[in-house]
Amino acid sequence: MQRFITLAFSALLLLSLNAATPETHYTVIVSLDGFRWDYPDMYKTPNLDRMAADGVKAVMLPSYPASTFPNHYTLATGLVPDHHGIINNTFWDVKNRRQYSMGDSATRNNPEYYLGEPIWITAQKQGVKTGNMYWVGSDIAIKKSHPTYYRPWNAKPFLTFEQRIDTVLTWLQKPEPERPRLIMLYFEEPDGSGHHNGPCSLPTGAVVQHMDSLVGVLRKKIEALPFGGDINLIVTSDHGMTDISPERVVNINDYVKPEWCEVIDGRTPTSIFSKPEYRDSICNALKKAAHIRVWKKEEIPAELHYGSSDRIGDIVVAPELGWQFTDVARDTKGAHGYFPQSPDMQVMFRAIGPDFKRGYISGGFVNVDIYPLLSHLLQIVPEKTDGRFERIKDILR
Ligand code: AMP
Ligand code: ZN
Ligand code: ZN
């Protein structure tokens, strides 16, 4: 009975919160792809520093693997990649015997791959409008639905960083009933430069500084709005970046015979779908190699939260930080995808606005906690996820 009363009360509360009360603030969350937690210590980032002084500063842990599609979709759903299905930027789809790839629009845009519920759907179901610029999943008809305002990744022209900011501002200037309460905004830098030049390099420093200046532009434009004081601004990322080198490569062909495997897919980590009779041979051969970890799927350490999805091979090979396990080494200087516990994979987090503490340094949290945070800010009832509001609520006023 007690439980029934609590449920009934929650339902009433939900009804009364529908469409967000006038006290609900707006929230803009920005992802600067591949923005390592310590870039502000390495390069000049006056705007992020000002956000830290005026708001919250934290180091956030990504989910495993520390790559773009898995983590942006984790930020959107509060689920670890093992649970939301995007277990890497590419993976083998066992059911349909084809490869999913973020670079192939046919599979990328197929909603079947995207499990869980992105925050824009949770919001919309409860009458809250959202705007979304290029966030992973936003242009895909997940649960047959889209954000209220969004732009397809493939639509021409591909918007410049400045155009994205200006578009977001037009959304915020809509008449109140049409105005989105949550806006998600994505930029593909400094990831690109981090790959090309390495995280610790002059060109990456220059791009980091440029991204910081864009944060300054966005903040200034937001604060100039008549209701600028009602807007929370979060700036964060999906993963960090570390140095790689052609000298730190474990060549898969030195250990594994192609005829032992059905499929080998992905890197950092690599999923191997073995031919059952060769499973032990593959594991034993790879265990002789230095600088990689090899697990049977069921033996992957629990702290990685990886291994229940059928899209993960029955053997998983994870290189040590800065190493590559591949047959074709990357010709770039930076990479990611490594363990969340490696500091180089961790992420910058800043937040300012009416709901956040000022000058507060958080002890840190995990990126699955962003979904419950956003749900709280929007005053909507969240889905059940891997995130925990308890772990992140100290950053709020
Ligand atoms: P990564 O290989 O993990 O470094 O992926 C970064 C790349 O992901 C970016 O440079 C973009 O090309 C791509 N990307 C990011 N967001 C999207 C999106 N919403 N749709 C398609 N591709 C995207
Ligand atoms: Zn990324
Ligand atoms: Zn990248």
Side-chain angles (χ1 to χ4, degrees), residues 5-145:
I5 293 171
T6 316
L7 276 175
F9 183 72
S10 312
L12 267 178
L13 191 69
L14 172 58
L15 278 176
S16 66
L17 289 177
N18 203 16
T21 60
E23 301 82 56
T24 318
H25 299 125
Y26 297 84
T27 297
V28 178
I29 179 167
V30 179
S31 169
L32 306 174
D33 198 314
F35 202 110
R36 202 166 96 173
W37 71 277
D38 56 351
Y39 280 172
D41 302 332
M42 296 162 62
Y43 306 118
K44 286 203 173 70
T45 55
N47 294 290
L48 292 171
D49 299 347
R50 213 153 59 79
M51 283 186 75
D54 298 344
V56 175
K57 167 180 173 168
V59 178
M60 183 171 75
L61 262 69
S63 295
Y64 188 70
S67 322
T68 300
F69 265 55
N71 277 283
H72 277 101
Y73 200 55
T74 289
L75 289 162
T77 58
L79 298 173
V80 294
D82 198 28
H83 295 156
H84 68 47
I86 307 300
I87 54 108
N88 211 335
N89 283 344
T90 73
F91 54 82
W92 180 245
D93 166 7
V94 210
K95 229 173 27 200
N96 299 298
R97 299 200 61 74
R98 67 178 171 213
Q99 191 203 41
Y100 163 98
S101 170
M102 68 168 199
D104 156 42
S105 41
T107 49
R108 181 187 70 229
N109 292 340
N110 185 340
E112 270 174 48
Y113 288 117
Y114 299 79
L115 314 178
E117 184 169 286
I119 184 83
W120 53 85
I121 298 183
T122 313
Q124 254 145 220
K125 286 201 311 204
Q126 296 174 47
V128 174
K129 294 195 165 52
T130 64
N132 200 307
M133 180 57 76
Y134 291 152
W135 203 280
V136 168
S138 60
D139 59 347
I140 299 164
I142 299 166
K143 294 194 170 179
K144 301 199 174 74
S145 164

Side-chain angles (χ1 to χ4, degrees), residues 166-230:
D166 289 342
T167 306
V168 160
L169 262 291
T170 63
W171 292 341
L172 282 171
Q173 284 163 312
K174 285 180 182 289
E176 232 241 69
E178 288 156 44
R179 201 179 292 156
R181 287 266 166 192
L182 172 69
I183 289 179
M184 304 176 81
L185 169 59
Y186 170 78
F187 299 99
E188 60 275 19
E189 290 288 3
D191 179 78
S193 178
H195 282 295
H196 195 72
N197 307 293
C200 312
S201 65
L202 284 175
T204 297
V207 173
V208 166
Q209 282 163 220
H210 178 59
M211 299 318 291
D212 176 79
S213 72
L214 288 176
V215 168
V217 169
L218 176 65
R219 180 173 176 184
K220 210 164 148 196
K221 292 191 174 184
I222 284 177
E223 285 178 350
L225 293 168
F227 55 96
D230 294 336

Side-chain angles (χ1 to χ4, degrees), residues 321-349:
L321 187 73
W323 282 77
Q324 299 175 71
F325 176 71
T326 180
D327 53 349
V328 196
R330 286 184 199 270
D331 58 358
T332 60
K333 294 187 177 147
H336 48 83
Y338 301 94
F339 302 130
Q341 292 75 14
S342 306
D344 283 5
M345 292 301 104
Q346 296 172 8
V347 163
M348 172 273 302
F349 179 95

